Amino acid sequence: MNVADISGLPEGVAEHLESEGIEELYPPQAEAVEAGATEGESLVASVPTASGKTLIAELAMLSAIERGGTALYIVPLRALAGEKATEFEAFEQFGISVGVSTGNYQSDGERLSDNDIVVATSEKVDSLVRNGAGWIDDLACVVADEVHLVDDQHRGPTLEVTLAKLRQRVPDLQVVALSATVGNADEIADWLDAALVDTDWRPIDLRTGVHYGQAVHYDDGTQEELSVGSGSQTAAVVADTLKDDGSTLVFVNSRRNAEAAARRLSDVTKGSLSADQRDRLREVAEEIRGVSDTETSDDLADAVAKGAAFHHAGLAREHRELVEDAFRERLIRVVAATPTLAAGVNTPSRRVVVRDWQRYDGTAGGMQPLSVLEVHQMFGRAGRPGLDPYGEAVLLANGHDELEELFDRYIYAEPDPVRSKLAAEPALRTHVLAAVATGFTTTEEALHEFLGETLYAAQTDDPRRLESVTRDVLAYLEANEFVERENGALRATTTGHLVSQLYVDPMSAATLVDGLRDAARAAERSEAADGASGEAASRADEAGGPFQTASDLQTEAEPIPEDVDVELTPLGLYHLVSRTPDMYELYLRSGDRETYTELAYEVEDQLLGPAPREEEAHWEDWLSALKTAKLLDDWASELDEDRIAERYGVGPGDIRGKVETAEWLLNATERLAADIGVGATAVRAARKRVQYGVREELLDLAGVRDVGRKRARRLYEAGIETRADLRNAEKSVVLGAVRGRRKTAERILENVGHPNPDLTDVDADADTVAAVEESERDGQANLGDFS
Ligand code: ADP
């Protein structure tokens, strides 16, 4: 079937696709069209990676828009939203508008309604539904990318519930679910009442095999010599691929391994570069260095200059984009990647090496093999259609037994089936509260009925399990006063509504509310001890026993005293948000237990909520949260990014991730604090300090666009302490404070509303430059007082 034969697309689209080299549909695409993808029919497409699933989605969305509807594209990772939206923007020339909705905050629901295509994560869609976004009712087509992730225990349930809710809310909604090849795509199709395209067709041949000894053993029974020599197996495969002028994608199991592999493999690639390639790589390396001031950034730049790179979630987004682009341009010849992100990013290469087929799994307490699906997705990145004759994907074996095991486990293996993970408490806690708060279900029966529409219900043999977990969860929500029951009807309380809208796990909200109430009681106690009221003190003592926390299901909420001065410090609040299940804590490394135990006692007065005892298992979590809190506190105290990275053993992407999550959770804390009448102002200040990464005195300045944490400090040191100062500042001083960067200084002056931001003929004030430099040296020395 040719693209030109498809009816129902906006005018010009077919010609556009042809100009992009897409004339004839790939067989799975043709099958999808025949099944009604462009006529509003629901469809599950279970097709190998890189075999044109995106076009199936595009054809469905564009024809839905042509019929007058709007489309929603659900991405599995926030990092992919921008990339997908950019792809769809190619259709803007045909009058199609594209919007992206990401970010943690509840917001922007109605503005999105102006778009024909909205790209969002399932968490975001879920949050938009909860906040009553009206445009959801106008949806004609929803695409779920990587729908096999319903199997993921963390994120799967949200995708599952979101699809079930959208289908319930919008009758006749077309659902297009894209999946990697899985063992039971038919079950997903049954669940979604959808047609099924299930194939392992690929646009380019894929040979898979295992390297062992001095040869690759292929799936067709052939062997090819590939001798290892003195280096590693990986290096030998990379060198062999380079001989054919090909590039290699190497999958490893940890960030550290990715970085180490890139460093070692850069010695292999550097010899293959032309002078021109070296020059261009040097430019990319410089751009990478410019992204952030960290060791990770430097290490990446060093490797890139020699033609190799690493790719993992610890990198900043700009880093990843630079690496992906240079790899696609064939400047970078090897990328060592962790599976997490690389699976979703379109970076095909001649060869794929799956170096590590096991990875550390904390819940299992040891190394666990990757799933067949994950390994097949990595394999799928091999071969660039139209450019390579075929793709090759190899695993590496150390012994003969391992060779056989890998063949059985991954080469000959059938893909795994996907299983719903919905019947777990954390997932249901969130979704049950949402269903009640949005008025989606108002009785326990209706709730069970709705949950009966999920994939879990379609797959389980034991429907009572879902019901019993749901009952426990309802009890939890009632005990924490998020939900109440009246004559059999379920209703969310004001706090319950708020929690659902804020999109935090109800257990996080319970922890936050507890912490704040505990602080209020402590304040009341100390006022009482000062002689105000002995009665209040004893009442507070009774309520504040160490085991009565709402998050443990036990508390009768104690009335909050109205007029006590609650003492909330930023560190205490950072610790509180770091203790919630919505924050991924930092692990404790060797020696950390002692360090943070000491710190825990030192700052005991600042930490909120009842502390566990040292011998309790829970103590470790308390310390991990403290370590995370300390990172945030360092950030909010203006410690340099590279110092933080070094101190906590993290990458710049992690720092930004933690900061963003903290900002979001502190925003939730602020709203809850206002709701229960405790300390909202202090929470707000702590949130702003994390948001800008500055101390208290810089909050005003750092809020000016383009100023940021470092420049705010420099301006402050130069005597410009507030926005008002900046508006009226001597321009030569401002220029000196930003180290003579004219464009920057002009932009800042413009943003703050300076009457005449023009800097022509203005010179940087020399005293300011000297003063700023000196204070910077002293400043970082003083900030490093914790180790
Ligand atoms: P998937 O989503 O299945 O991982 P993609 O949609 O990213 O795969 O497709 C991989 C590549 O194939 C893209 O570069 C796309 O432009 C190209 N492609 C898709 N369909 C066709 C087609 N019918 N003819 C030629 N190229 C195609």
Side-chain angles (χ1 to χ4, degrees):
M1 187 186 290
N2 288 324
V3 173
D5 302 334
I6 307 170
S7 56
L9 295 176
E11 200 164 312
V13 166
E15 291 76 13
H16 167 76
L17 289 172
E18 284 167 358
S19 74
E20 298 280 294
I22 300 180
E23 283 177 28
E24 198 183 341
L25 291 185
Y26 286 159
Q29 295 165 341
E31 229 182 286
V33 172
E34 275 152 23
T38 53
E39 289 156 12
E41 297 295 327
S42 289
L43 179 81
V44 171
S46 172
V47 180
T49 311
S51 304
K53 287 194 286 292
T54 309
L55 185 63
I56 297 179
E58 288 171 344
L59 295 176
M61 293 194 295
L62 291 169
S63 54
I65 293 164
E66 186 66 8
R67 288 194 301 277
T70 55
L72 172 65
Y73 191 100
I74 303 178
V75 285
L77 286 173
R78 219 168 358 139
L80 292 176
E83 164 154 327
K84 280 292 165 196
T86 312
E87 258 179 89
F88 302 150
E89 276 162 13
F91 299 108
E92 283 188 338
Q93 47 180 317
F94 309 110
I96 309 286
S97 57
V98 182
V100 186
S101 177
T102 53
N104 287 316
Y105 289 98
Q106 45 161 338
S107 63
D108 67 3
E110 290 314 316
R111 259 181 303 126
L112 284 172
S113 63
D114 300 339
N115 294 298
D116 297 312
I117 300 178
V118 172
V119 182
T121 58
S122 51
E123 286 78 9
K124 189 66 201 190
V125 177
D126 187 18
S127 152
L128 289 168
V129 173
R130 288 186 199 192
N131 287 286
W135 59 273
I136 298 277
D137 296 317
D138 303 328
L139 279 178
C141 174
V142 57
V143 178
D145 196 358
E146 311 246 356
V147 79
H148 55 266
L149 291 175
V150 291
D151 194 273
D152 183 287
Q153 57 170 333
H154 299 295
R155 320 201 36 221
T158 301
L159 176 58
E160 185 177 338
V161 168
T162 301
L163 284 176
K165 262 193 215 163
L166 289 173
R167 292 183 66 215
Q168 183 160 341
R169 243 182 87 165
V170 189
D172 300 328
L173 178 67
Q174 178 186 21
V175 179
V176 175
L178 310 177
S179 170
T181 34
V182 296
N184 58 342
D186 53 335
E187 277 180 31
I188 302 180
D190 278 349
W191 166 51
L192 295 172
D193 300 312
L196 174 64
V197 174
D198 189 1
T199 170
D200 48 19
W201 181 90
R202 290 177 39 102
I204 177 163
D205 281 343
L206 176 67
R207 296 176 86 193
T208 56
V210 179
H211 183 270
Y212 163 60
Q214 308 297 329
V216 184
H217 302 247
Y218 285 105
D219 51 347
D220 58 8
T222 60
Q223 292 182 19
E224 255 167 47
E225 189 184 336
L226 199 164
S227 48
V228 171
S230 59
S232 70
Q233 267 172 305
T234 314
V237 177
V238 169
D240 187 71
T241 319
L242 277 173
K243 270 194 254 162
D244 268 351
D245 203 24
S247 11
T248 312
L249 199 51
V250 181
F251 287 104
V252 298
N253 60 8
S254 74
R255 296 178 186 184
R256 196 187 294 205
N257 283 336
E259 293 175 14
R263 195 178 326 118
R264 278 197 304 272
L265 294 171
S266 68
D267 287 333
V268 181
T269 50
K270 76 173 178 217
S272 69
L273 301 173
S274 69
D276 175 53
Q277 286 169 330
R278 258 199 301 276
D279 287 346
R280 288 170 62 199
L281 281 168
R282 242 196 309 267
E283 279 168 31
V284 181
E286 273 324 295
E287 278 185 73
I288 286 172
R289 268 182 238 281
V291 171
S292 93
D293 263 346
T294 54
E295 209 178 302
T296 312
S297 192
D298 285 340
D299 290 348
L300 181 61
D302 289 345
V304 165
K306 296 196 222 162
F310 52 89
H311 187 291
H312 59 56
L315 291 178
R317 194 178 123 170
E318 301 91 308
H319 283 142
R320 293 200 298 264
E321 282 169 356
L322 286 164
V323 168
E324 288 157 25
D325 288 345
F327 190 63
R328 277 192 285 262
E329 284 172 37
R330 295 164 50 76
L331 283 171
I332 293 176
R333 310 311 296 272
V334 178
V335 172
T338 54
T340 2
L341 263 142
V345 180
N346 190 14
T347 47
S349 75
R350 167 77 64 78
R351 260 194 181 132
V352 164
V353 175
V354 179
R355 196 197 72 178
D356 301 333
W357 57 276
Q358 304 190 73
R359 89 177 134 223
Y360 184 77
D361 178 348
T363 37
M367 300 300 277
Q368 290 292 313
L370 300 178
S371 71
V372 180
L373 195 145
E374 283 172 296
V375 170
H376 285 187
Q377 278 201 305
M378 295 175 203
F379 283 180
R381 291 287 157 215
R384 297 163 312 147
L387 294 171
D388 294 328
Y390 51 82
E392 274 182 6
V394 294
L395 290 144
L396 307 179
N398 279 320
H400 198 267
D401 289 350
E402 195 180 357
L403 172 73
E404 288 192 349
E405 179 176 2
L406 292 179
F407 261 91
D408 287 343
R409 200 182 262 284
Y410 298 116
I411 307 273
Y412 296 141
E414 291 298 321
D416 313 295
V418 303
R419 310 286 313 173
S420 165
K421 301 292 189 290
L422 185 63
E425 256 185 57
L428 281 178
R429 227 161 32 215
T430 302
H431 295 297
V432 166
L433 176 60
V436 174
T438 49
F440 202 76
T441 50
T442 49
T443 62
E444 199 164 337
E445 294 73 57
L447 190 59
H448 292 309
E449 205 173 297
F450 166 63
L451 293 170
E453 295 298 315
T454 58
L455 176 64
Y456 181 88
Q459 289 189 323
T460 184
D461 310 325
D462 178 11
R464 272 167 318 177
R465 181 167 147 67
L466 189 59
E467 282 189 20
S468 88
V469 183
T470 308
R471 253 193 307 278
D472 291 349
V473 161
L474 271 176
Y476 176 87
L477 295 172
E478 281 179 75
N480 281 293
E481 302 186 337
F482 295 153
V483 166
E484 54 193 19
R485 223 183 271 254
E486 215 176 61
N487 306 325
L490 296 169
R491 214 179 43 204
T493 60
T494 324
T495 313
H497 273 286
L498 183 58
V499 171
S500 172
Q501 280 171 16
L502 290 169
Y503 208 76
V504 291
D505 182 338
M507 189 183 268
S508 294
T511 309
L512 297 173
V513 168
D514 266 2
L516 293 169
R517 285 197 169 129
D518 199 75
R521 282 191 214 101
E524 192 193 21
R525 267 199 302 274
S526 81
E527 269 188 24
D530 287 347
S533 150
E535 191 196 325
S538 65
R539 181 158 49 82
D541 267 335
E542 273 162 42
F547 299 110
Q548 290 201 318
T549 86
S551 38
D552 282 333
L553 249 182
Q554 298 185 11
T555 257
E556 276 292 306
E558 183 76 358
I560 294 295
E562 293 276 327
D563 49 0
V564 287
D565 264 334
V566 184
E567 270 215 47
L568 298 169
T569 67
L571 182 67
L573 289 165
Y574 301 154
H575 183 250
L576 181 62
V577 297
S578 299
R579 270 170 51 210
T580 66
D582 279 310
M583 174 72 89
Y584 288 95
E585 295 164 356
L586 293 170
Y587 292 112
L588 294 182
R589 292 183 300 178
S590 71
D592 278 354
R593 202 185 152 101
E594 293 70 36
T595 311
Y596 290 97
T597 297
E598 204 174 295
L599 183 67
Y601 288 114
E602 204 175 295
V603 298
E604 197 172 25
D605 291 348
Q606 300 185 42
L607 306 185
L608 309 177
R613 287 185 306 260
E614 252 190 86
E615 57 281 2
E616 283 181 83
H618 194 46
W619 181 247
E620 289 265 320
D621 294 333
W622 188 258
L623 295 184
S624 300
L626 184 57
K627 183 175 174 185
T628 313
K630 185 68 185 147
L631 180 151
L632 293 167
D633 199 55
D634 279 353
W635 169 257
S637 307
E638 299 172 42
L639 194 65
D640 274 348
E641 232 183 325
D642 60 341
R643 296 285 293 275
I644 298 179
E646 194 186 327
R647 184 174 281 180
Y648 300 94
V650 295
D654 300 302
I655 301 175
R656 290 175 202 195
K658 292 274 179 294
V659 164
E660 254 176 49
T661 308
E663 237 182 283
W664 161 59
L665 286 170
L666 287 161
N667 175 61
T669 315
E670 188 182 334
R671 300 281 303 273
L672 289 166
D675 183 60
I676 62 171
V678 176
T681 318
V683 180
R684 186 185 171 76
R687 170 172 68 74
K688 295 212 126 181
R689 285 193 46 201
V690 160
Q691 182 183 348
Y692 299 127
V694 297
R695 299 183 191 192
E696 186 91 38
E697 69 266 23
L698 294 189
L699 282 178
D700 188 34
L701 270 184
V704 178
R705 199 146 56 90
D706 290 321
V707 169
R709 65 201 294 252
K710 290 199 159 176
R711 293 191 190 123
R713 177 53 63 193
R714 291 183 193 130
L715 289 165
Y716 193 89
E717 294 304 330
I720 301 169
E721 300 185 357
T722 62
R723 285 173 194 233
D725 289 352
L726 185 57
R727 237 185 321 262
N728 303 311
E730 199 60 59
K731 289 194 281 188
S732 60
V733 175
V734 176
L735 188 56
V738 303
R739 304 163 154 189
R741 305 217 169 143
R742 219 160 265 278
K743 280 232 178 64
T744 309
E746 272 179 2
R747 261 200 330 260
I748 291 175
L749 289 172
E750 214 173 285
N751 292 339
V752 79
H754 193 281
N756 174 19
D758 181 33
L759 287 179
T760 325
D761 299 329
V762 176
D763 288 323
D765 179 63
D767 292 343
T768 306
V769 176
V772 164
E773 273 175 10
E774 185 177 343
S775 81
E776 217 147 83
R777 275 193 304 274
D778 297 350
Q780 283 302 324
N782 291 339
L783 287 167
D785 58 352
F786 170 84
S787 60

